[in-house]
């Protein structure tokens, strides 16, 4: 603007290379053991309906956001044609291979205060409880082993 005063060290403009853009996504704390730099992801933007961009995790930030209990991850997308703009909202989707594990809905697990128990219904047999060794928790519990601890 004409007549604007400029101070020493003041930034007048930013010049950036938009041939590629960074996307940052928040990963919940309990999901951290599942992700690694190099994991693949699919990105969708609302202004490109139906278009999916493929990318990989480029960097996992070393600090946790205390309020949200999340860690920022960075993805890099090539910006061919210059259609991607800084500050656009994205949906980032990652598929993680967990291998074979037992998964149980969280509402099926009983916390006794000492251990976690899952009751198993064997069609014609009595209900059996099992101690469930929790290895991760999200929308469901996953465990590495269950052992029979008795019948009810």
């Amino acid at each position: 603007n004409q007549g604007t005063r400029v101070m020493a060290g003041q930034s007048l403009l930013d010049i950036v290379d938009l041939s590629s853009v960074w996307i940052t996504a928040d990963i919940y704390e309990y999901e951290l053991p599942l992700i690694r730099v190099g994991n693949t992801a699919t990105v969708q933007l609302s202004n490109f309906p139906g278009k999916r961009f493929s990318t990989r995790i480029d960097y996992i930030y070393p600090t946790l956001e205390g309020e949200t209990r999340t860690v920022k991850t960075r993805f890099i997308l090539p910006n061919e044609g210059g259609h991607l703009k800084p500050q656009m909202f994205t949906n980032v989707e990652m598929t993680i291979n967990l291998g074979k594990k037992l998964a149980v809905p969280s509402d099926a697990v009983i916390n006794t205060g000492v251990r976690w128990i899952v009751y198993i219904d064997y069609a014609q047999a009595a209900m059996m409880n099992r101690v469930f060794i929790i290895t991760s928790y999200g929308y469901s519990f996953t465990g590495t082993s269950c052992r029979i601890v008795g019948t009810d």
Side-chain angles (χ1 to χ4, degrees), residues 9-72:
Q10 180 180 354
S11 176
L12 299 178
L13 62 118
D14 292 324
I15 300 174
V16 290
D17 176 10
L18 292 177
S19 61
S20 63
V21 294
W22 287 5
I23 294 171
T24 55
D26 293 326
I27 303 295
Y28 288 110
E29 181 180 15
Y30 67 85
E31 295 172 330
L32 282 176
L34 305 175
I35 65 166
R36 301 275 181 269
V37 170
N39 283 28
T40 58
T42 303
V43 176
Q44 294 180 315
L45 292 93
S46 59
N47 61 325
F48 296 108
K51 185 156 176 67
R52 298 168 71 85
F53 300 89
S54 184
T55 186
R56 294 182 178 275
I57 295 177
D58 178 62
Y59 183 69
I60 301 171
Y61 288 77
T63 57
L64 184 76
E65 297 286 333
E67 301 82 35
T68 59
R69 309 304 300 169
T70 59
V71 170
K72 297 222 178 280

Side-chain angles (χ1 to χ4, degrees), residues 87-144:
Q87 304 302 319
M88 285 181 155
F89 285 103
T90 61
N91 289 318
V92 177
E93 189 176 300
M94 289 186 281
T95 303
I96 308 288
N97 182 1
L98 299 176
K100 287 189 169 193
K101 292 189 177 191
L102 176 65
V104 180
S106 57
D107 59 351
V109 179
I110 300 168
N111 180 358
T112 67
V114 177
R115 61 185 179 190
W116 300 88
I117 295 177
V118 176
Y119 283 92
I120 311 237
D121 183 7
Y122 292 101
Q124 301 297 324
M127 298 275 281
M128 300 179 84
N129 67 18
R130 293 185 180 223
V131 173
F132 198 60
I133 301 168
I134 304 300
T135 58
S136 65
Y137 172 74
Y139 298 107
S140 64
F141 288 91
T142 57
T144 53

